[in-house]
Every structure is written in C-alpha cells, then in structure tokens.
Amino acid sequence: MSAPTAPGGARTRSTASLRHRLAERGVDKSLWMLFPALFFALALFIYPFSYGIGLTFQPSPAMQAKWGSGIFSNYVGFFKDSFVFDSIWLTMRLALPVALFNVLASVPMAFKLRRRFRGKKVLTTLLVLPITLGTVLTAQGLLIFAGRQGWLNRFLIDIGLIDQPLALVNNYLGVVFSLVISGFPFAFLLISSYLSGIDPSIEAAAKTMGANWVQRFRRVILPLLAPGLATTFILTFVLAFSVFPSARLVGDAMGSTRVMSLMAFRAFGEQNDYPMASTIAVMMGVVELLVIALVLLWRSSMYKGSTGGKG
C-alpha cells in the first residue's frame, strides 16, 4: 500500500500497520508452512550435496601420488583414467536408447488408449503392472526366463530353432530389457496424461480443413505434445542413467555395462575412496544436466506456449 500524497506534494506516513504491509508482499504466518520443506531440503539435499562437492577437492594421498598433488587430483584422475572415464560412454549407451525407445513406444500406445473401447482397462493395467515388480524382481525374472538355462532358451532348443543358448542376460541386452520393463510404464503414464490435456477440438478443426493424419500429428499434435515428450524423456533418461541394480544383476558389471554408478560404488565400497566416489557422482550430475539442457532447447524450438485444453 503506497503512502498518500498531501495537497502540497509531500508524502504522508502510511497509517497501515507493519503486519498489513508485509502481508501485501506475501510475508505472513503462512510462510511457516514452508519450514518443514526447507528443513528437509537442507538436511537431505543441500548439506549432503555441498559436503560431497567439498570432498571432491580433498583427494586421498594415493590419488595425489598417482595424478599429482593439488585439489583437482580427483578430476584429473577421472578424465585420465580410461577405465573410469569410459563409463560415461557406457552409461550413455544404455540410457539414451532406452529413454528414446520408452518415449517413442509410449506415444502410439497412449494414442490408442485415449479412446474408449472394450478391454481398455485390462490393457492399461497390463502396461502399468511392471511398476509393481521392482528392479530386483525384474532382474530375477529375466534371469529365470531369458538366462542360458531359462525357459526361453530351453524352448528354442527343444523345437530345434537354435543349437546354443542365446546370450540375453549378463550383458548389454539384459540391462536394456530390464530398463525398458521398469521405465516404460512411467513413460506411458506421463504421455497419456499430456495427451489428455490436448483439446480434441483442435485436431478436429485441422481435420475439417483437410489435414490428413500425418499432417495433423506433425503440425498440431507434436508441437502441443513437445513439452510432454521432453519431460518424459528427461525423467526416463535420468532413471536409466542412474541404473545400478540392473547393471550388476543382469549386466556385465566390469565390462559392457560398467556404468558410472558402479564406478562410484567401486570407489566407495571397494577402494574406500570417498572423495573419488563423490567426484564420479558430481560428474554424473554434470552429464545429466547437459543432456537435460539439450532436450529443453529442443522443446523450446518446437513450442513455447501451453498445451491448453481439457487438462
């Protein structure tokens, strides 16, 4: 509330109380409701994050002896040790294709299931059911079904289709299967929610103007769905990029699925090198942020407005 102006031009002192003036600026007792969230953010994220970054600048004597003294020895070791540095490529080789597949496979399924038809609830339940399995149970199921002595290989050998068991687990393929099974339901649910927020009358209007299905999707649906596609890709990418149990249980932990999280665990649990483990964790965050920035840049080039409509 601004102070009134006297006839002579001088400003008089406001008669409103300090509490009312603060309330106009959003400062009142309701701010106490933010305290629990701020406390947990400080205790569970900000402090551990700051402490972890501080550890990266405290290299162990062994790291200093190997990569030179100085506070950046951990980072020098990360980039110069090919066994650790190559884990970036190995992790991206898993996360990017899996996230892209989950998003692309979710779009046609979400399009089909946004209309009413018999059996829709049953099909939706089957698509979402893997969420309840968990990573460990999914890995166990893959080992039982697709392992060298699993049902699939035994069946293919019995019918004479193959002579030797297929290597479907304990390698790159095993981790991909596990990430797709666990990540697809999340992608499908997110894409479905974004599609429900697009007003069907927009697509109907394009249809009445003579646009075919491909034109309607490319010029109407895709730009409106771009924010949802970007968000879904980011979430599924982060979920796949931080893979740990799958890479260890159904992958090749020290070979083709030597992901960054395993390298951090190796430094932390086997070598007791907490500063190096923190360095790898920080570099994981940096790589993720770079990919997220590129995806958001693509989203902004596709569409800058809101989706609008029903949702």
Side-chain angles (χ1 to χ4, degrees):
M1 180 184 297
S2 60
T5 304
R11 297 177 66 85
T12 61
R13 190 170 185 175
S14 174
T15 58
S17 65
L18 177 62
R19 185 178 65 179
H20 289 164
R21 281 180 286 167
L22 291 175
E24 289 180 348
R25 293 170 172 82
V27 181
D28 52 24
K29 292 182 179 179
S30 64
L31 287 178
W32 285 105
M33 299 176 65
L34 297 176
F35 180 77
L38 293 175
F39 173 78
F40 282 107
L42 178 64
L44 300 179
F45 177 73
I46 297 177
Y47 172 73
F49 181 73
S50 303
Y51 182 77
I53 291 180
L55 279 179
T56 65
F57 299 110
Q58 302 173 33
S60 63
M63 291 297 295
Q64 295 188 52
K66 186 175 182 180
W67 303 109
S69 59
I71 61 175
F72 296 105
S73 295
N74 285 322
Y75 291 97
V76 173
F78 177 85
F79 286 103
K80 287 190 175 183
D81 188 346
S82 60
F83 187 78
V84 177
F85 181 73
D86 288 348
S87 64
I88 296 179
W89 155 246
L90 295 175
T91 310
M92 294 286 285
R93 184 169 166 259
L94 279 168
L96 285 176
V98 166
L100 189 62
F101 174 83
N102 283 335
V103 172
L104 294 180
S106 298
V107 173
M109 295 299 298
F111 261 100
K112 177 62 179 177
L113 292 176
R114 69 173 178 168
R115 296 182 174 87
R116 295 180 179 273
F117 60 91
R118 181 176 298 180
K120 175 181 177 179
K121 292 183 179 180
V122 176
L123 182 57
T124 303
T125 302
L126 292 176
L127 291 174
V128 178
L129 187 62
I131 290 180
T132 64
L133 299 179
T135 305
V136 176
L137 189 57
T138 300
Q140 182 182 5
L142 282 172
L143 290 173
I144 295 174
F145 177 75
R148 294 184 64 85
Q149 300 299 324
W151 299 348
L152 178 61
N153 275 315
R154 291 206 306 265
F155 172 74
L156 295 177
I157 291 176
D158 289 342
I159 64 176
L161 193 59
I162 59 175
D163 297 327
Q164 298 293 330
L166 299 176
L168 299 176
V169 293
N170 299 122
N171 52 21
Y172 174 83
L173 286 177
V175 183
V176 169
F177 292 150
S178 177
L179 292 176
V180 168
I181 293 172
S182 60
F184 176 81
F186 291 99
F188 168 72
L189 290 175
L190 286 171
I191 295 296
S192 297
S193 65
Y194 277 101
L195 270 177
S196 66
I198 298 177
D199 192 345
S201 63
I202 301 176
E203 185 179 359
K207 185 177 181 179
T208 59
M209 298 179 66
N212 58 33
W213 187 89
V214 175
Q215 292 173 327
R216 294 198 303 271
F217 179 81
R218 186 167 61 90
R219 297 181 179 273
V220 178
I221 300 298
L222 184 58
L224 293 174
L225 193 59
L229 293 176
T231 302
T232 303
F233 180 87
I234 288 172
L235 292 177
T236 53
F237 170 78
V238 171
L239 182 67
F241 192 86
S242 58
V243 57
F244 177 80
S246 298
R248 195 171 182 87
L249 295 174
V250 293
D252 182 10
M254 291 294 108
S256 60
T257 62
R258 191 177 70 249
V259 294
M260 296 185 74
S261 58
L262 285 176
M263 291 295 95
F265 175 78
R266 174 173 172 267
F268 175 82
E270 299 178 8
Q271 301 173 344
N272 294 321
D273 191 347
Y274 299 165
M276 188 59 192
S278 299
T279 303
I280 298 174
V282 169
M283 294 309 301
M284 285 181 65
V286 171
V287 174
E288 289 176 330
L289 288 175
L290 288 175
V291 175
I292 290 172
L294 292 175
V295 175
L296 293 179
L297 183 63
W298 170 82
R299 185 187 69 173
S300 63
S301 67
M302 288 292 297
Y303 185 66
K304 301 181 183 299
S306 59
T307 56
K310 294 163 37 179

